[in-house]
Amino acid sequence: MPPTVYPIPILEDNYCYLVTSPPPPSAPSSTPCFLVDPAEPAKVHAYLESFAAERGTTLNVTHILTTHHHWDHAGGNELMLSLLGLSLNCAVVGGAPDSCAACTRPVTDGQVLPLNSYSCQALITPGHTRGHACYHVTSGPGDAGAVFTGDCLFVGGCGKLFEGTAADMCGSLARLAALPGACEVFCGHEYTRGNYAFAASVEPGNGRLRERAEWAAGRDRTVPSTVAEELRSNVFVRCAVRGGGEVGGLEELVGRLGLGGGCTNEELVGACRNAKDNFKKR
């Protein structure tokens, strides 16, 4: 079975995630769980209390996974620990190059952690920040699992290049695109409608984008996506893996961005990101 994930909307458009495991036989009324980016601790704590009361269980938060050091992802770690009374026995995980707040377990690229009934592989995915981490969580062999992508990969988009380069982001997106197609994607923000609006402006002939934009228009929440869907409809992912599998030359996109057909994938990602940065200013 894939991980059981509960999205918690926080702040203006962020997501925190609660991921639960089955209670162990030795403690049937205690549910092991972990959190991802609990940046609004009071709201997250209230959600956890309601969740536990409705299900007649006690939540045992064993880990906090932090995708990167920005305040709207890592800024709630210390208060979250305090509210839960977990300062001594809850590991705060973060990418080693990123120095996330309250981090007690820095992880390196490819490092695997046991998370209750799950296995978690840390993927250092620079671009948005130098040490941004994504977390691929699976329940066992054959499970495509779920990946928590923070501000690297969004549904239909990618993060801004605050500390990294277009080449960094291109490599990070290509790496995430190599995960199993059925892997569920849980990103850090609800930016989907804006991402599709931009994508349609540079690829107006892409019918799949129109379908996805119509799908997203009627939803307040668009997570999770899947890796396979992002390969089909995320313009940045398609740029990063251009020439592989079914992703061809993206001629319409290349032309609208003013690039030649011989541009590299890194140049294409960079031009696309620059165009997205200026999209709302037009």
Side-chain angles (χ1 to χ4, degrees), residues 13-244:
D13 50 31
N14 283 67
Y15 285 115
C16 167
Y17 295 103
L18 166 68
V19 185
T20 61
S21 291
S26 59
S29 62
S30 177
T31 300
C33 62
F34 64 87
L35 297 169
V36 182
D37 289 348
E40 192 175 2
K43 187 170 184 178
V44 173
H45 188 244
Y47 179 94
L48 298 182
E49 289 193 323
S50 176
F51 182 98
E54 289 176 1
R55 292 161 177 80
T57 189
T58 300
L59 290 175
N60 176 23
V61 182
T62 61
H63 298 76
I64 292 174
L65 304 186
T66 311
T67 58
H68 62 291
H69 66 78
H70 289 163
W71 72 269
D72 61 329
H73 294 263
N77 286 350
E78 291 186 11
L79 181 54
M80 194 77 250
L81 291 171
S82 178
L83 289 174
L84 294 169
L86 296 172
S87 59
L88 297 180
N89 60 359
C90 177
V92 179
V93 181
D98 233 31
S99 301
C100 296
C103 181
T104 59
R105 189 170 295 179
V107 288
T108 55
D109 186 46
Q111 185 172 346
V112 177
L113 299 174
L115 259 63
N116 306 321
S117 60
Y118 302 119
S119 176
C120 171
Q121 184 178 38
L123 306 173
I124 302 302
T125 48
H128 186 67
T129 65
R130 186 170 64 92
H132 188 290
C134 295
Y135 301 97
H136 183 212
V137 179
T138 59
S139 60
D143 174 27
V147 62
F148 299 92
T149 60
D151 286 7
C152 178
L153 170 66
F154 298 125
V155 179
C158 77
K160 290 184 177 181
L161 303 178
F162 286 126
E163 298 176 14
T165 66
D168 290 332
M169 182 61 78
C170 184
S172 295
L173 294 176
R175 190 167 185 204
L176 293 172
L179 293 173
C183 177
E184 293 186 316
V185 175
F186 293 92
C187 58
H189 290 269
E190 183 56 57
Y191 288 164
T192 307
R193 285 185 288 276
N195 288 337
Y196 287 148
F198 163 73
S201 76
V202 291
E203 265 199 303
N206 188 323
R208 181 61 181 176
L209 286 176
R210 290 195 298 272
E211 293 174 5
R212 289 293 285 176
E214 292 172 1
W215 170 85
R219 288 168 169 77
D220 293 328
R221 191 185 85 190
T222 59
V223 293
S225 181
T226 64
V227 168
E229 182 55 58
E230 296 310 295
L231 278 165
R232 286 191 293 265
S233 58
N234 186 315
V235 64
F236 295 95
V237 173
R238 293 168 60 242
C239 288
V241 299
R242 180 179 59 147

